[in-house]
Amino acid sequence: MPAIAAEPGEGGAADPRRRVPSTDALLRDERMRPAVDALGAPYVKAWLKGAQNAVRAGELAPTDIVDTVLAQLPDAPITSVRVINATGVLLHTNLGRAPLSEAAVRAVRVVAGATDVELDLATGRRGARGRGALDVLRAAVPGAEDAYLVNNGAAALALAATALTPAHSRAPGSIVIARGEMVEIGDGFRLPDLLESTGATLREVGTTNRVTAEDYARAVDETTAFILKVHPSNFVISGFTAGAGVHELRGLGVPVVADIGSGLLAPHPALPDEPSAAGMLGAGADLVTASGDKLLGGPQAGVVVGRADLIHAMRRHPLARAMRVDKLTLAAFEATVGGPRTPTVAALEADPRGLRARAERLAEALRGDGIDAVAVDSRATVGGGGAPGVELPSAAVSLPTRFAAPLRAVRPAVLGRVTEGRLLLDLRAVAEQHDEELELLVRAAR
């Protein structure tokens, strides 16, 4: 280790600033070289300055700066923090929704450098972008003539509203939609505003709680671009209600676009009321749109499957360029759809008895260290705008609420939920291989 020069100070040797090693000397320390190479000097320097300030405040010994910083540096030069999702919400929007599978993570690493994203290596000429991702998507939804990907679910609907204007109309066509399906999609963004921003006109039919096929039929005319069916995936209306299914609208002479939101490609027995892409196409939808980072379990993307002519119109529209997905998303999506079971599906299919056994083991281990931990039954939800009202039996480790803030401060952070005066760490969205890490983090947060 090279000699470390002190910064000049004021007020004599007692001034703590004279004891602070210089930033340049710290960066030249041989122990810092791997971190500097991996994260970059500016990023490491910011962490060193924080440790230097701790020395000035008398909170850290000068000789401990390097070891302290090396212990705290993250794996990547980013501000985002890895979080263990123990909230019991499988697809937590604030936590990035679906966690990627290991297969998808490996796929992202493969294409992170130069890759044949738009090159046909056999001919040396330009190739079709995203062909692998689209191939596995078509295979997963056999009833689709074609498939397309954009950067999120809202983009898929906006592109459909823009590109599917009737050819005979000079102005944007109208979209027929049930009043009860004019939903807000989160963070103050509303579906009607999104669609109208494309220049389309919305023609509302029915009432908030009831709509019939006859309501749609009366609204369809020569200006109609398509009928839009939106699955209310983040709320439930019960009581005196009625709706018109896709199968009732298929013969009205205009395309039927179904936005299923949560992204199930095929029906799942745990969610019998959640619509799927295959199911909607089978019922007669001409086009289905969905999100890729919800129940599909992949990266953020807007999924479009259905009639080839409609998808061709969307693909060739100039706005499609602005909504194009990048090579990392394409790789992660292909590995998600064509690869092994995703963490989302694993969480959805978790055995409640196995979850309870895990909670018992964790709680017992923590009690052995003097921590007030108890295994309890819990209820988890899908979240992410999917399967509203559906609860999944789960199990959790119950802790005093004083653990909530310290667990958010450890790294990786741990996020649970406070219920009836206790902090619950629900295990349904926590992979079993993270149990030991979770235990250590709870101990560190005492």
Side-chain angles (χ1 to χ4, degrees):
M1 176 177 174
I4 296 179
E7 291 183 344
E10 299 174 3
D15 192 321
R17 288 175 294 180
R18 293 186 61 84
R19 302 167 55 230
V20 180
S22 72
T23 304
D24 287 343
L26 290 168
L27 287 172
R28 290 194 300 270
D29 190 302
E30 288 297 324
R31 293 172 295 169
M32 296 300 303
R33 181 171 297 176
V36 171
D37 290 344
L39 303 174
Y43 188 79
V44 174
K45 186 182 293 186
W47 283 78
L48 288 172
K49 286 188 176 298
Q52 289 169 323
N53 288 334
V55 172
R56 295 184 182 100
E59 300 168 353
L60 185 68
T63 54
D64 291 339
I65 289 180
V66 172
D67 289 338
T68 299
V69 169
L70 289 176
Q72 295 176 343
L73 279 171
D75 294 331
I78 57 175
T79 56
S80 294
V81 172
R82 178 181 159 230
V83 177
I84 293 179
N85 176 16
T87 63
V89 181
L90 274 57
L91 302 169
H92 200 301
T93 297
N94 302 129
L95 298 180
R97 293 182 179 160
L100 292 181
S101 66
E102 284 301 317
V105 172
R106 289 195 298 272
V108 169
R109 292 196 190 103
V110 167
V111 302
T115 183
D116 61 340
V117 64
E118 280 188 27
L119 179 69
D120 184 335
L121 290 172
T123 65
R125 299 191 180 117
R126 185 178 185 128
R129 186 181 184 87
R131 56 196 178 277
L134 296 179
D135 284 346
V136 297
L137 180 54
R138 283 188 288 262
V141 189
E145 295 178 4
D146 203 354
Y148 192 52
L149 292 175
V150 289
N151 49 31
N152 62 23
L157 272 182
L159 185 57
T162 305
L164 302 187
T165 300
H168 58 75
S169 175
R170 292 185 179 180
S174 64
I175 298 171
V176 178
I177 181 173
R179 183 167 284 110
E181 297 175 9
M182 307 271 276
V183 299
E184 184 170 311
I185 55 180
D187 197 24
F189 290 95
R190 295 177 172 177
L191 186 66
D193 297 336
L194 171 71
L195 296 172
E196 289 177 337
S197 71
T198 69
T201 300
L202 300 186
R203 184 167 294 181
E204 302 175 37
V205 297
T207 62
T208 302
N209 59 319
R210 293 179 68 84
V211 63
T212 66
E214 289 74 21
D215 292 325
Y216 287 94
R218 285 194 296 268
V220 171
D221 60 21
E222 66 278 1
T223 70
T224 303
F226 57 86
I227 292 170
L228 177 60
K229 283 288 297 175
V230 178
H231 175 57
S233 57
N234 56 6
F235 68 96
V236 175
I237 297 179
S238 61
F240 185 55
T241 63
V246 167
H247 65 283
E248 299 176 77
L249 307 177
R250 60 189 302 177
L252 297 182
V254 295
V256 178
V257 177
D259 177 58
I260 61 172
S262 63
L264 273 184
L265 297 184
H268 193 285
L271 304 171
D273 297 325
E274 192 71 10
S276 68
M280 287 292 101
L281 290 176
D286 298 280
L287 209 63
V288 176
T289 63
S291 294
D293 57 347
K294 298 181 182 179
L295 286 171
L296 193 149
Q300 177 178 293
V303 179
V304 187
V305 292
R307 270 174 45 186
D309 61 324
L310 301 180
I311 290 178
H312 177 76
M314 294 175 67
R315 179 183 284 117
R316 299 312 305 166
H317 193 279
L319 189 61
R321 179 75 178 190
M323 299 177 174
R324 189 174 74 171
V325 292
D326 75 318
K327 62 181 182 179
L328 304 181
T329 300
L330 289 170
F333 189 91
E334 181 178 356
T336 296
V337 178
R341 187 172 71 158
T342 66
T344 298
V345 173
L348 188 63
E349 297 176 348
D351 179 4
R353 293 170 299 180
L355 295 174
R356 179 71 192 209
R358 289 170 55 198
E360 295 280 6
R361 288 195 298 269
L362 274 169
E364 183 179 5
L366 292 170
R367 284 196 303 272
D369 202 24
I371 296 173
D372 176 13
V374 183
V376 297
D377 291 330
S378 180
R379 307 295 290 181
T381 58
V382 172
V390 174
E391 291 189 337
L392 304 167
S394 187
V397 176
S398 172
L399 299 169
T401 56
R402 64 179 176 80
F403 276 84
L407 281 172
R408 294 196 303 271
V410 296
R411 295 296 179 265
V414 178
L415 193 67
R417 72 176 187 272
V418 175
T419 302
E420 298 179 353
R422 297 282 289 184
L423 174 67
L424 300 188
L425 303 183
D426 192 295
L427 298 182
R428 189 172 266 272
V430 180
E432 186 171 1
Q433 62 261 34
H434 296 312
D435 282 359
E436 182 178 350
E437 182 181 30
L438 182 59
E439 178 187 337
L440 294 173
L441 292 168
V442 173
R443 294 179 192 275
R446 280 188 301 177

